[in-house]
Amino acid sequence: EKGGYDYFMLKEIAEQPKAVADTLLGRIDGGGSLRLDELRIPDAVLREAHKVVIVACGTAFHAGLIAKYAIEHWTRVPCEVELASEFRYRDPILDQRTLVIAISQSGETMDTLMALRHARAQGARVLAVCNTNGSTIPRESDGVLYTHAGPEVAVASTKAFLTQLVAVYLLALYLGQVRGTKWGDEIRAVVRDLARIADDVDRVLETMEPVRELARSLADKDTVLFLGRHVGYPVALEGALKLKELAYMHAEGFAAGELKHGPIALIEEDLPVVVVVPSPRGRSVLHDKIVSNIQEIRARGARTIVIAEEGDEAVTPYADHLIRIPATPVLLQPMVSTVPLQVFACELATARGNEVDQPRNLAKSVTVE
Ligand code: F6R
């Protein structure tokens, strides 16, 4: 049942190109328009929404954080993202023109379910992004966009996360399409690149041996830090979460711009720091800033593990280890930058003798609050 892999997690990491392609299937037509008739939420409601609120937990929350960048940039609709466990306890402001998106692989996470019930009770429309057909969260939502990752067995979420990203990109682009906002050449180019993204994920998977080797060499470390900016920031959080749950190591993700506001004090000789570098194209200011961050931490002794686009030579002199990812549009980069972090955490966990598919103290679906 593990299809020749030692762990379900390895199998599920390898299945990502297919999971991504399956989630895109039939949703982009030949002319580059999006077809999401299945949503069950009328276009008129999507046109009138004045706010989007995303609720989720754990890895699904990280997909929500990335969705915010895409939704606000492509549609100009304000978007908040909140941990489901915090959401309903703070008396959030919701009305009929609020579109709430609940993201959940299992569709059974109690915190997310309670958040969506609270939202609906206030009159908001709720759209589920879910991987499990007929589970509670989509059943209780107004509409649903299913991810087609197939069953995810390993506790640590991998292929479900990438398909959640695909789903929220599709939703953001669809929202832009029905509202007519910024729908133009840039968006059409993104849709084309999204349609091809499964191949990019495949290419990343083919180059993971050095990442595994690096992970094994770090098995006796206590701490790993992760830095990112823009959509790379949630990727840094996701890399750190994977390492905590699988390798039981102290791992923290930071927004790179926050370094000098505190975290830089943690940097010491030989501390591994993973840096997710934004594309040098597009928002190039961010790229240049993160290159200075890499220099700053390296000058203080950090061992820099740099994830950067192919062709980005500016980072080369400051990278102790360089992990290359294919060039993608700025907002789609998490589709490829997350993959090395999954492999890294899985390999470190194995090297430390941990049970990869069933980490201690964790359950696949958290049905209690
Ligand atoms: C981490 C992980 C968890 C889940 C979280 C939400 O690898 O798997 O953080 O993402 O428990 O679960 P779902 O998506 O089922 O609501």
Side-chain angles (χ1 to χ4, degrees):
E1 47 179 16
K2 290 180 195 147
Y5 293 93
D6 289 343
Y7 309 106
F8 280 107
M9 186 177 176
L10 288 172
K11 175 172 176 267
E12 289 161 6
I13 288 173
E15 283 170 348
Q16 291 183 115
K18 181 175 188 308
V20 165
D22 287 349
T23 301
L24 285 164
L25 199 70
R27 289 168 169 171
I28 300 176
D29 72 18
S33 298
L34 299 161
R35 309 274 317 251
L36 298 182
D37 315 336
E38 63 200 286
L39 278 190
R40 296 199 322 248
I41 293 191
D43 284 356
V45 171
L46 299 179
R47 257 191 295 273
E48 275 154 30
H50 62 179
K51 184 167 80 168
V52 174
V53 177
I54 302 178
V55 291
C57 303
T59 287
F61 171 70
H62 298 153
L65 291 175
I66 292 164
K68 176 186 165 80
Y69 289 85
I71 290 172
E72 293 196 338
H73 181 68
W74 290 333
T75 74
R76 310 310 297 153
V77 182
C79 177
E80 300 168 13
V81 192
E82 190 151 359
L83 290 166
S85 55
E86 289 294 323
F87 178 71
R88 77 195 166 101
Y89 295 104
R90 69 165 175 91
D91 195 14
I93 300 166
L94 299 159
D95 61 25
Q96 277 136 339
R97 290 178 61 203
T98 311
L99 177 67
V100 173
I101 303 176
I103 308 176
S104 174
Q105 187 285 130
S106 62
E108 301 296 345
T109 300
M110 186 55 75
D111 284 313
T112 309
L113 178 61
M114 296 310 270
L116 91 80
R117 282 186 185 158
H118 182 80
R120 287 193 87 196
Q122 314 291 306
R125 302 284 181 132
V126 178
L127 179 57
V129 169
C130 185
N131 195 48
T132 312
N133 247 295
S135 54
T136 313
I137 287 172
R139 267 196 284 116
E140 293 204 17
S141 298
D142 296 286
V144 56
L145 186 65
Y146 279 110
T147 50
H148 298 304
E152 194 180 60
V153 177
V155 164
S157 188
T158 54
K159 61 176 182 170
F161 177 70
L162 283 207
T163 61
Q164 283 161 355
L165 291 182
V166 170
V168 295
Y169 290 136
L170 286 170
L171 274 177
L173 291 165
Y174 188 69
L175 217 52
Q177 180 176 300
V178 299
R179 296 169 72 99
T181 25
K182 287 190 100 183
W183 195 259
D185 291 345
E186 182 201 336
I187 305 286
R188 264 187 285 274
V190 170
V191 173
R192 269 198 306 277
D193 286 321
L194 186 59
R196 281 196 298 256
I197 202 90
D199 296 336
D200 293 325
V201 177
D202 209 25
R203 277 176 54 211
V204 179
L205 287 170
E206 280 165 14
T207 58
M208 287 297 95
E209 197 40 49
V211 174
R212 285 188 202 101
E213 225 167 89
L214 169 66
R216 288 192 292 271
S217 76
L218 299 176
D220 58 356
K221 293 282 177 192
D222 299 317
T223 299
V224 180
L225 302 184
F226 294 78
L227 298 178
R229 249 193 124 117
H230 193 255
V231 287
Y233 168 44
V235 172
L237 296 177
E238 173 62 7
L241 177 61
K242 284 285 164 290
L243 208 58
K244 284 173 201 154
E245 67 178 330
L246 293 161
Y248 317 149
M249 288 167 88
H250 173 225
E252 294 285 339
F254 300 107
E258 277 291 292
L259 259 183
K260 59 180 89 47
H261 301 288
I264 200 163
L266 291 169
I267 307 295
E268 54 186 27
E269 199 55 37
D270 216 32
L271 177 78
V273 184
V274 179
V275 187
V276 185
V277 179
S279 165
R281 301 158 300 108
R283 283 166 201 65
S284 56
V285 221
L286 289 187
H287 173 268
D288 298 350
K289 287 190 167 157
I290 222 164
V291 175
S292 330
N293 292 144
I294 302 172
Q295 287 175 260
E296 280 158 16
I297 57 171
R298 199 158 183 263
R300 289 164 179 78
R303 167 129 55 126
T304 57
I305 302 165
V306 176
I307 302 181
E309 269 188 10
E310 283 155 6
D312 179 354
E313 294 309 332
V315 296
T316 317
Y318 316 110
D320 294 310
H321 306 274
L322 189 51
I323 301 169
R324 288 295 187 186
I325 51 175
T328 62
V330 174
L331 284 160
L332 302 189
Q333 198 200 52
M335 293 293 300
V336 288
S337 55
T338 306
V339 176
L341 301 181
Q342 299 167 340
V343 172
F344 182 71
C346 184
E347 191 69 25
L348 250 166
T350 315
R352 288 162 73 93
N354 298 351
E355 176 52 66
V356 170
D357 287 334
Q358 187 51 261
R360 68 186 182 200
N361 309 338
L362 291 173
K364 182 65 183 163
S365 122
V366 185
T367 52
V368 290
E369 268 194 88

